[in-house]
């Protein structure tokens, strides 16, 4: 069992911390992160903190190619690892109370609270600091506007409770920031320009030139400060990569003094370099004129709109409720689909580990949520992003001496930038997820037009890769794929990973189907330009017919890879808590030799191609693999929750739900201090919508088969499906589905149900059965 250390109060719309926990400070910083799609930062303090912390502010699409560092260079390794870079600290406000610097690490404080309000998208802190019996109450509010993406706002309010005195505020912009994970301890930024005057300042930094011909970026942060209180004097200072204002004020006992720091964060991704400062200043003037309350109101209205569509309500389980809202909040703070140049990085704006902007996580785990909770162009943008990166994928395949396209494991541009051989060269199953996402999008939205050009470009290029990557085993007269790493990264260089073979064959089949569709509907104009030969297509077909899939007759299961069953097959329940997580406690070779599975592997295939397997096949494989699975990838629990729910294993589904929904809040994998697991944050939603409610969409047919966990009174959510806006409510004894849109036919517990436009159906809730042996 895993021991949990709960740091935050359980509240439906808030994450609240009532103790300044210096030991788990980084963990809380991760959890208290804010983002607005354009920028984001960890829950850092504005004022000084001299304990251990991780200052982290990140700007979407701004990255640096950090020169690869490895022990033994292997041909084919990428030259660099692309990193989301830690950028100018623009939230900083140092505070001197009666000439004494406020440092929350060493100060005596009381009534401390830090609170992330997810409904309104606001982070607040409040505390009373006691210095030589002088008590000062402080309240800080911060938000990154989602109505005005380049705007960050901080309100810093202090009240001297039992004295008259003075305060100095030092709002600053600090560009001297480094990535903790820089390979050569390099500074990725150089200063370009700075200016400062009373109550304002600006700092422009540029990413260093690099030898890899990747783009450089300019980042300008511009601040304006407003004060509500009696200012005595203002001075400014300029240092290397730094500007500040020093504002002295008189404090009167019981009276509040407030500083507003407005910051514009502009980059040359959106504006001409020469305009960055002016654009920032204009944006600030325009907004300051509106006033703090109005800016906040516009920001909150946008959050309300998001919640109106995407909120999942759970009655009867406050922890589950808080968990899913936290996940949706952090996910939407990272990506809401407005900028087609962006994607969803595993840590979003909350940390540095993992680097890169895009993993297979997006297609495999995030796409279904965006399909159902946003307009179709958001999902299409995610597909187009990959289409635009096709050249990079051709490059990656060439690096391996192969034809076609190999989408990268980690990338900003399409070019692989991850450099561990077992992942870069071997974890090629990722290509299957990119193809599957096209099917998923077209099947869900009905937008077959996507296949004509972009869709077939990507599918045919991935198919060419698979056709070159397989080999024919003459003796056994089957095709095989050797030397891979499946989704389970706790085994490398295996032969015939069932999942990889499955997705390779599935991609080829789907591509052939799409070709047939385009040809028979006279939509093949673009297809003809792709020079696919008859021989090539015949070979694809042959591979689909003669692929080898490891299977054990006696156990009647698909075997994860050729030699998996030769291992010492024991259950994860035999591990002691001290050994978990294995990746932090065991040597790597011990992990590789063990049977323990990091994340869904065979079961990932059964999740994707759910409609192609019988319930009995799913049950046998689930029963065999799940007990060996340690879920040490945050992506793992949700897939298990969905399958367990389908199999009627309610307790397991519930356990997996909690694990995915509260992964970071309860720090299940003991690594939340590095940042949040953003791409896994769809997991709670997948568990409820596809798991508990049993939503399926294969073959362009919508169906549900809901159950409700024993401790819940009801749950409800909305989905957008084609032109329907559907609300599903599941309570102890009934399922209620309402919809807006044209007449809708769907399947509920295997029976066809018609719901007229603006109509509602209510039927009794069915009990799940686990009759399968
Ligand atoms: C998982 C990968 C995933 C990556 C980023 C790893 O721990 O094993 O499947 O792509 O994290 O989330």
């Amino acid at each position: 069992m895993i021991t949990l250390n709960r740091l935050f109060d359980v509240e439906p719309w808030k994450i609240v911390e009532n103790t300044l926990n210096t030991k788990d400070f980084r963990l809380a910083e991760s959890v208290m992160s804010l983002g607005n799609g354009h920028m984001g930062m960890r829950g850092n303090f504005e004022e000084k903190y001299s304990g251990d912390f991780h200052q982290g502010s990140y700007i979407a699409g701004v990255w640096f190619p950090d020169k690869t560092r490895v022990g033994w260079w292997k041909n084919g390794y990428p030259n660099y690892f692309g990193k989301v870079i830690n950028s100018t600290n623009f939230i900083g406000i140092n505070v001197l109370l009666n000439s004494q610097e406020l440092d929350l690490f060493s100060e005596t404080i009381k009534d401390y609270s830090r609170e992330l309000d997810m409904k309104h998208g606001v982070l607040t802190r409040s505390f009373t600091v006691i210095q030589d019996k002088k008590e000062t109450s402080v309240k800080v509010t911060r938000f990154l506007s989602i109505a005005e993406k380049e705007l960050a706002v901080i309100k810093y309010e202090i009240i001297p409770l039992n004295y008259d005195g003075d305060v100095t505020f030092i709002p600053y912009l600090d560009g001297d920031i480094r990535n903790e994970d820089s390979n050569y301890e390099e500074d990725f930024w150089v200063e370009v320009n700075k200016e400062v005057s009373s109550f304002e300042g600006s700092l422009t930094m540029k990413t260093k030139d690099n030898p890899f011909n990747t783009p450089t970026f300019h980042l300008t942060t511009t601040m304006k400060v407003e004060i509500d209180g009696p200012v005595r004097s203002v001075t400014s200072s300029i240092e290397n990569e730094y500007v500040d204002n020093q504002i002295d004020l008189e404090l009167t006992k019981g009276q509040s003094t407030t500083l507003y720091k407005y910051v514009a964060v502009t980059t040359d991704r959106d504006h001409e370099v020469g305009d960055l400062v002016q654009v920032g200043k204009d944006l600030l003037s325009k907004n300051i004129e509106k006033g703090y309350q109005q800016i906040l109101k516009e920001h909150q209205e946008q959050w309300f709109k998001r919640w109106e569509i995407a909120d999942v309500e759970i009655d009867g389980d406050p922890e589950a409720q808080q968990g899913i809202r936290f996940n949706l909040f952090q996910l939407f703070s990272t990506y809401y689909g407005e900028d087609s140049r962006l994607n969803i990085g595993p840590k979003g704006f909350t940390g540095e580990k993992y680097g890169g902007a895009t993993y297979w996580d997006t297609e495999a785990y995030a796409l279904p949520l965006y399909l159902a909770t946003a307009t179709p162009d958001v999902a299409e943008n995610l597909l187009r992003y990959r289409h635009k990166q096709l050249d990079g994928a051709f490059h990656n395949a060439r690096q391996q001496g192969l034809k076609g396209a190999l989408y990268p494991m980690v990338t900003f541009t399409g070019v692989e930038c991850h450099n561990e051989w077992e992942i870069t060269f071997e974890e090629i199953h990722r290509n299957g997820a990119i193809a599957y996402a096209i099917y998923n999008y077209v099947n869900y939205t009905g937008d077959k037009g996507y296949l004509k050009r972009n869709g077939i470009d990507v599918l045919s290029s991935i198919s060419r890769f698979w056709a070159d990557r397989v080999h024919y085993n003459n003796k056994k007269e089957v095709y095989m794929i050797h030397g891979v790493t499946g989704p389970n990264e706790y085994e490398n260089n295996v032969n015939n990973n069932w999942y990889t073979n499955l997705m390779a064959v599935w991609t080829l089949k789907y591509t052939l189907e799409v070709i047939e569709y385009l040809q028979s509907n006279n939509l093949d104009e673009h297809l003809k330009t792709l020079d696919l030969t008859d021989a090539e297509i015949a070979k694809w077909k042959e591979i689909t017919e003669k692929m080898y899939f490891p299977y054990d007759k006696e156990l009647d299961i698909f075997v994860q890879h050729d030699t998996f069953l030769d291992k010492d097959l024991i259950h994860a329940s035999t591990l002691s808590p001290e050994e978990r997580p294995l990746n932090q406690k065991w040597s790597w070779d011990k992990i590789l030799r063990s049977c323990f599975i990091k994340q869904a592997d065979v079961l990932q295939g059964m999740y994707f191609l759910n409609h192609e397997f019988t319930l009995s096949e799913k049950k046998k494989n689930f029963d065999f693999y799940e007990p060996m699975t340690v879920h040490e990838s945050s992506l793992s629990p949700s897939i298990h929750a969905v399958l367990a729910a389908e199999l009627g294993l309610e307790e397991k589904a519930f356990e997996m739900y909690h694990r995915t929904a509260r992964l970071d809040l309860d720090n299940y994998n003991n690594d939340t201090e590095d940042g949040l697991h953003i791409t896994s944050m769809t997991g709670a939603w997948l568990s409820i919508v596809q798991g508990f409610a049993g939503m399926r969409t294969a073959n362009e047919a919508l169906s549900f088969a809901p159950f409700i966990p024993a401790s819940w009174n009801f749950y409800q959510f909305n989905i957008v499906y084609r032109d329907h806006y559907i609300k599903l409510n599941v309570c102890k004894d009934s399922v209620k589905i309402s919809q807006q849109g044209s007449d809708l036919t769907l399947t509920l517990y295997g029976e066809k149900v018609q719901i007229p436009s603006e109509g509602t159906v209510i039927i009794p809730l069915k009990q799940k059965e686990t009759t399968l042996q």
Side-chain angles (χ1 to χ4, degrees):
M1 263 330 306
I2 294 165
T3 10
L4 300 175
N5 166 19
R6 180 158 296 158
L7 297 181
F8 311 102
D9 292 357
V10 176
E11 289 200 26
W13 281 106
K14 287 181 178 169
I15 311 296
V16 182
E17 170 196 58
N18 285 316
T19 313
L20 203 172
N21 196 328
T22 49
K23 194 171 114 316
D24 289 310
F25 196 74
R26 284 178 178 237
L27 195 162
E29 275 182 324
S30 298
V31 168
M32 299 287 174
S33 293
L34 280 182
N36 69 357
H38 171 70
M39 59 183 158
M41 83 264 304
R42 294 167 57 76
N44 302 131
F45 289 176
E46 279 77 4
E47 66 285 331
K48 180 174 173 174
Y49 181 79
S50 59
D52 176 55
F53 74 115
H54 183 198
Q55 184 76 45
S57 316
Y58 307 91
I59 314 297
V62 173
W63 63 281
F64 190 78
D66 197 12
K67 192 163 166 248
T68 299
R69 181 172 196 143
V70 285
W72 175 16
W73 186 273
K74 301 187 177 64
N75 276 347
Y77 269 169
N79 293 322
Y80 62 81
F81 188 59
K83 286 178 177 164
V84 178
I85 40 177
N86 205 343
S87 308
T88 301
N89 169 8
F90 55 84
I91 62 162
I93 305 172
N94 283 330
V95 180
L96 278 69
L97 288 171
N98 307 307
S99 308
Q100 195 174 323
E101 187 166 38
L102 182 60
D103 173 357
L104 288 198
F105 182 64
S106 50
E107 226 63 76
T108 306
I109 52 170
K110 63 176 184 182
D111 304 331
Y112 171 87
S113 140
R114 178 162 46 174
E115 198 176 287
L116 183 66
D117 176 341
M118 303 180 286
K119 191 172 199 169
H120 302 94
V122 171
L123 179 70
T124 51
R125 285 186 300 130
S126 57
F127 52 89
T128 299
V129 54
I130 308 162
Q131 295 173 330
D132 307 327
K133 297 196 179 140
K134 290 182 178 149
E135 297 196 3
T136 315
S137 132
V138 178
K139 180 160 187 209
V140 192
T141 308
R142 175 162 91 217
F143 62 95
L144 305 177
S145 171
I146 59 168
E148 187 80 79
K149 289 301 175 68
E150 292 167 320
L151 182 65
V153 181
I154 297 155
K155 179 180 176 192
Y156 203 107
E157 188 183 359
I158 59 174
I159 305 175
L161 297 177
N162 57 357
Y163 68 96
D164 291 338
D166 51 47
V167 61
T168 305
F169 287 121
I170 309 179
Y172 63 88
L173 304 170
D174 181 8
D176 186 14
I177 300 290
R178 292 181 185 215
N179 271 51
E180 281 197 346
D181 68 345
S182 163
N183 285 343
Y184 295 89
E185 283 168 34
E186 211 185 326
D187 185 352
F188 300 147
W189 294 100
V190 283
E191 182 190 288
V192 175
N193 176 39
K194 62 194 164 196
E195 52 187 70
V196 70
S197 57
S198 298
F199 302 109
E200 57 185 54
S202 105
L203 176 66
T204 299
M205 305 292 294
K206 171 182 171 298
T207 55
K208 277 189 178 159
D209 292 336
N210 69 76
F212 308 114
N213 291 324
T214 65
T216 53
F217 299 95
H218 283 76
L219 165 69
T220 299
T221 45
T222 310
M223 66 170 179
K224 284 200 184 204
V225 177
E226 288 211 327
I227 300 278
D228 190 359
V231 175
R232 206 186 282 140
S233 67
V234 196
T235 53
S236 317
S237 65
I238 278 201
E239 285 165 36
N240 186 30
E241 303 183 337
Y242 175 92
V243 298
D244 74 22
N245 286 166
Q246 293 165 32
I247 306 162
D248 293 320
L249 293 114
E250 278 166 35
L251 295 176
T252 312
K253 182 173 152 190
Q255 272 185 24
S256 127
T257 297
T258 306
L259 174 143
Y260 297 89
K261 181 179 182 184
Y262 299 93
V263 185
V265 178
T266 48
T267 78
D268 57 351
R269 291 178 65 249
D270 303 308
H271 308 284
E272 293 297 325
V273 172
D275 296 342
L276 287 174
V277 178
Q278 196 53 46
V279 171
K281 284 184 178 169
D282 293 348
L283 184 125
L284 292 179
S285 306
K286 184 182 89 184
N287 281 284
I288 292 171
E289 208 169 294
K290 284 185 202 164
Y292 174 84
Q293 284 307 338
Q294 181 62 19
I295 302 172
L296 181 62
K297 185 166 169 263
E298 288 172 13
H299 164 69
Q300 294 182 342
E301 278 167 3
Q302 294 301 317
W303 268 112
F304 294 155
K305 279 194 189 153
R306 291 179 176 190
W307 287 119
E308 205 176 300
I309 304 176
D311 188 29
V312 178
E313 258 183 89
I314 300 170
D315 189 62
D317 186 345
E319 295 176 0
Q321 176 67 82
Q322 184 187 40
I324 192 157
R325 289 201 174 125
F326 179 67
N327 290 338
L328 291 170
F329 176 77
Q330 291 295 354
L331 191 68
F332 292 161
S333 298
T334 308
Y335 184 85
Y336 202 63
E338 296 101 334
D339 186 340
S340 65
R341 299 165 297 174
L342 300 175
N343 208 281
I344 313 159
K347 293 268 171 264
F349 302 115
T350 70
E352 286 159 24
K353 199 177 157 201
Y354 282 115
T358 318
Y359 284 59
W360 73 301
D361 306 22
T362 297
E363 282 75 14
Y365 299 88
L367 188 76
L369 178 139
Y370 285 101
L371 272 171
T373 57
T375 48
D377 54 300
V378 173
E380 194 185 337
N381 272 344
L382 288 172
L383 300 195
R384 281 183 191 279
Y385 178 92
R386 292 291 195 176
H387 180 256
K388 279 192 235 141
Q389 299 192 343
L390 198 45
D391 281 345
F394 289 141
H395 164 91
N396 302 331
R398 278 198 304 276
Q399 287 290 97
Q400 299 199 357
L402 292 165
K403 295 189 186 126
L406 173 60
Y407 275 92
M409 192 68 187
V410 181
T411 196
F412 279 95
T413 60
V415 171
E416 177 66 76
C417 63
H418 193 280
N419 50 47
E420 280 167 77
W421 66 270
E422 63 274 28
I423 291 178
T424 311
F425 304 150
E426 297 211 324
E427 214 176 322
I428 54 176
H429 70 77
R430 58 195 185 241
N431 243 6
I434 312 297
Y436 182 79
I438 296 176
Y439 158 78
N440 206 356
Y441 166 78
V442 173
N443 175 66
Y444 193 96
T445 60
D447 175 15
K448 290 205 171 67
Y450 188 77
L451 296 169
K452 264 191 309 192
R453 177 175 280 276
N454 293 3
I456 194 62
D457 275 347
V458 172
L459 289 171
S460 60
S461 307
I462 294 179
S463 288
R464 276 183 164 145
F465 173 84
W466 287 127
D468 203 22
R469 182 62 168 75
V470 302
H471 72 272
Y472 191 63
N473 179 324
N474 276 310
K475 199 165 155 210
K476 297 187 174 155
E477 299 186 331
V478 283
Y479 283 97
M480 296 188 158
I481 306 181
H482 276 194
V484 301
T485 297
N488 170 27
E489 291 176 341
Y490 286 179
E491 286 187 302
N492 303 145
N493 205 35
V494 301
N495 294 336
N496 293 311
N497 168 248
W498 182 85
Y499 172 78
T500 306
N501 291 14
L502 178 80
M503 293 313 289
V505 164
W506 177 86
T507 306
L508 292 167
K509 278 191 191 156
Y510 182 55
T511 309
L512 291 168
E513 218 176 90
V514 170
I515 291 174
E516 163 76 29
Y517 164 78
L518 295 176
Q519 285 171 338
S520 54
N521 287 282
N522 278 337
L523 297 169
D524 56 351
E525 208 177 310
H526 180 69
L527 172 69
K528 284 181 187 149
T529 66
L530 299 179
D531 297 329
L532 293 172
T533 64
D534 289 348
E536 202 171 8
I537 290 190
K539 166 125 190 248
W540 293 1
K541 192 152 182 293
E542 187 182 276
I543 298 169
T544 65
E545 287 157 1
K546 293 194 185 165
M547 177 60 86
Y548 164 72
F549 291 101
Y551 166 74
D552 186 83
K553 207 163 167 204
E554 212 172 295
L555 296 168
D556 193 16
I557 53 150
F558 304 117
V559 182
Q560 192 163 284
H561 61 84
D562 279 353
T563 56
F564 185 77
L565 295 182
D566 298 339
K567 293 191 156 197
D568 182 10
L569 300 173
I570 48 174
H571 287 182
S573 55
T574 59
L575 293 163
S576 69
E578 293 73 48
E579 292 173 283
R580 310 285 295 269
L582 297 182
N583 62 28
Q584 291 171 20
K585 304 289 170 62
W586 278 16
S587 75
W588 188 242
D589 76 297
K590 187 169 174 183
I591 290 178
L592 291 179
R593 282 184 277 114
S594 82
C595 69
F596 297 119
I597 302 170
K598 183 182 182 192
Q599 66 201 95
D601 196 300
V602 166
L603 298 181
Q604 183 74 40
M606 302 200 132
Y607 164 77
F608 274 158
L609 306 183
N610 194 271
H611 55 292
E612 296 190 1
F613 298 97
T614 64
L615 215 49
S616 158
E617 283 172 324
K618 290 173 207 168
K619 174 97 171 74
K620 283 184 178 145
N621 284 279
F622 189 93
D623 286 350
F624 183 75
Y625 287 110
E626 199 285 328
M628 286 184 272
T629 307
V630 286
H631 305 291
E632 288 180 11
S633 161
S634 57
L635 300 170
S636 187
S638 60
I639 301 304
H640 290 82
V642 173
L643 290 173
E646 184 180 3
L647 295 169
L649 306 170
E650 292 190 19
E651 251 176 57
K652 185 49 90 181
F654 191 64
E655 177 200 332
M656 289 291 120
Y657 169 80
H658 267 259
R659 192 158 173 163
T660 184
R662 299 195 56 90
L663 185 104
D664 285 318
L665 287 179
D666 289 339
N667 196 15
Y668 271 95
N669 287 354
N670 196 27
D671 59 359
T672 296
E673 63 173 48
D674 297 334
L676 302 175
H677 298 84
I678 296 293
T679 44
S680 312
M681 289 196 154
T682 60
W685 185 92
L686 292 172
S687 305
I688 291 187
V689 176
Q690 299 182 346
F692 300 171
M695 178 168 111
R696 297 288 182 275
T697 51
N699 302 321
E700 304 198 43
L702 180 65
S703 66
F704 294 96
F707 82 91
I708 186 163
S711 57
W712 293 11
N713 299 323
F714 76 80
Y715 64 94
Q716 63 182 21
F717 60 84
N718 309 315
I719 58 156
V720 180
Y721 179 74
R722 303 202 171 184
D723 72 337
H724 309 282
Y725 183 69
I726 302 171
K727 190 178 218 54
L728 191 112
N729 173 298
V730 183
C731 63
K732 290 264 183 232
D733 51 11
S734 65
V735 178
K736 177 173 159 193
I737 308 184
S738 330
Q739 73 109 2
Q740 288 163 31
S742 55
D743 292 354
L744 172 69
T745 304
L746 53 78
T747 305
L748 203 49
Y749 297 121
E751 307 279 331
K752 287 256 173 300
V753 177
Q754 312 262 356
I755 312 180
S757 171
E758 312 284 324
T760 298
V761 293
I762 303 179
I763 65 149
L765 184 84
K766 270 201 184 167
Q767 292 310 314
K768 281 256 171 194
E769 289 161 19
T770 1
T771 47
L772 290 160
Q773 290 312 308

